[in-house]
Amino acid sequence: TPRCTMIIPQDIQVVPLWQILLVFATFYVANRFFKSYRRNARATPLASPPRPSWLFGVLRLIGNNPDASALYEPWVQEFGSVFKIPAALGSTRVILTDPKAIAHFYSVETWTYVQTKLHRAVIENLVSD
């Protein structure tokens, strides 16, 4: 009769948790970098104001200003009706100021930008003539 023997390894090396976390963090950062690079390579280049901070972008500047809309007016004059602003953590936000472009955007993006009745009323008041 054949005997079944079990081989138990004697020298098992345990990988420290920090090394495992470092590998996952490296893959995560590399993945985010390549996704951002690929998205920026395919996107239409838009003008943008300078980035005062990588961490906050211009959001701190806008938040600390009592009349934030006054900041957008020179940007519209300089960059046109469609431009991007630097946002937090190196990201950007696209700004649309042309009513026809806004209407087209919301008519095309029907799945992503489903609004409540209140939001629609506020947007309609902002965009209407």
Side-chain angles (χ1 to χ4, degrees), residues 58-77:
V58 295
L59 299 180
R60 182 188 284 177
L61 179 68
I62 292 170
N64 291 338
N65 195 329
D67 187 17
S69 63
L71 289 173
Y72 287 96
E73 290 176 16
W75 293 338
V76 170
Q77 295 298 321

Side-chain angles (χ1 to χ4, degrees), residues 19-128:
Q19 287 181 349
I20 295 170
L21 293 176
L22 181 65
V23 168
F24 281 118
T26 303
F27 281 121
Y28 177 77
V29 169
N31 183 30
R32 297 289 296 191
F33 174 76
F34 288 121
K35 280 184 178 180
S36 173
Y37 176 76
R38 197 170 54 230
R39 180 179 53 243
N40 290 339
R42 291 185 303 193
T44 302
L46 295 174
S48 174
R51 179 182 296 278
S53 164
W54 181 83
L55 186 61
F56 297 109
V58 295
L59 299 180
R60 182 188 284 177
L61 179 68
I62 292 170
N64 291 338
N65 195 329
D67 187 17
S69 63
L71 289 173
Y72 287 96
E73 290 176 16
W75 293 338
V76 170
Q77 295 298 321
E78 184 177 350
F79 304 120
S81 63
V82 178
F83 59 95
K84 63 183 179 180
I85 60 170
L89 300 176
S91 64
T92 58
R93 301 286 182 253
V94 175
I95 305 298
L96 299 173
T97 59
D98 180 32
K100 288 184 180 181
I102 294 170
H104 175 72
F105 176 77
Y106 280 111
S107 70
V108 172
E109 290 291 330
T110 57
W111 290 99
T112 307
Y113 296 97
V114 176
Q115 302 288 333
T116 63
K117 289 181 181 181
L118 176 63
H119 283 115
R120 275 187 257 148
V122 170
I123 291 170
E124 186 175 307
N125 287 334
L126 288 172
V127 175
S128 66

